[in-house]
Amino acid sequence: MKDVHVGVIGLGNVGSGTLAILNRNSAQIAQKLGFGLKVTAVCSRSVAGLDLADVPGDAMRTADWRDVVANPNVDIVAELVGGRGAAREMIDAAIANGKSVVTANKELMALEGADIWDRAIVSGVNLAMEASVAGGIPIHAVLREGISGDRIAAIAGILNGTSNYILTEMERRGDSFEDVLKEAQALGYAEADPAADVDGYDARSKLAILAALAFGERIVPDDIFVEGIRRITAQDFDYAHQLGHTIRLVCSAQRTEKGLILSVRPALIPESTILAGVKGAYNAIWVKGEFGADTFYYGRGAGPHPTGVAVVSDLMRVAREIRSGSPERVSPFAHERLGEYQPVSVLLQKRPYYLRFRVDDRPGIIAELAGILASKQIGLEAVLQLPCDTKNDLPFVITVESSPESAVREAVEQMSKLDFLREPPLALPMEPPL
Ligand code: HSE
């Protein structure tokens, strides 16, 4: 059978990883498909200065993406540029020109994936986006194929490698957030501007995509409550350990009677749970199905080769369809339209909470805090204070029984006005074991 032709736009980390795999694995890919996947065009703004050892000599090299999407010798466009500006134009133009698209673009797909998919269906082309979430973990294939016969009840994941690296290093070494972040930046693990990773926005885009695929609803990042990891201290890990827990940036989507509750936030998770074992820059996704119960997926969330595998596997999937005839397509976004899983506010969530205080010590502090909790019908579970040699800026923790987030937030707001507090209390939900 004739080769399928690929145009790659964007030759950064993911693009170069993709080209390396396509080149070094070409014979095996052709055996698996029954035909070859051939790169016929590559595009990068800095194409002239790049070492393109993995690109076939006869492939077009261009700095203008329009040359790729208009090229009659390209069947599939791989958009590996990222962001929402030019990438959107590239994908739109490729679809309008009747070319299928493979993308690694989480930001764009989280915000506009449903509309882009609708356009692809009308044009009769395919769209694949495995690399947009958790690079090396084939979670799209799992949700769209592997367990698509089930009905998903909940997803919980660790979807940002940078923040997981920072948290697990703080835990391992007892160092501060600031120190570990600086070191991660020096080593190139964290960006100079770390906001997207440590404030939870990168993970939120990924959760929006996964939740849309899992629950078949239109879910956008704004539907998801987000809180980052900047306020976590090494002492929080000491207290969490005392409670048999650890702390991770947890991406969660749960079906409840009231609707779908979605959040990305630091949370206490039991040390015995499988998610607690996810360390360093690794990602993991736990999925609970109504029929199939628990499944768990683990792997590298980023990096040229793990993400490149996702792109190449998508290219193979799309190429197979091009050669074998296109089936009826159904959008992975908003395919249910049943209205069962409408996103609702995280304020409706009920959990036990960990409340950590930093106070200037004086008599009566616990009594005042307990009074506020009682006024909100929040039951106190435990009070913990690890040995500390100062009376100023003294940390201690109160855990409370399962309570609505709305009541906990009201209590925290009221507590924040108390003059003995150094900073507003830190409230973290305590997630149940898997
Ligand atoms: N910055 C992301 C992370 C990788 O730290 O997981 C790309 O999505």
Side-chain angles (χ1 to χ4, degrees), residues 106 132 134-135 159-163 189 191 197 202 206 281 283 301-303:
K106 64 186 161 244
S132 63
L159 297 177
N160 184 266
T162 305
S163 54
Y189 298 161
E191 306 275 343
D197 291 319
D202 171 85
K206 293 167 179 169
N283 281 195

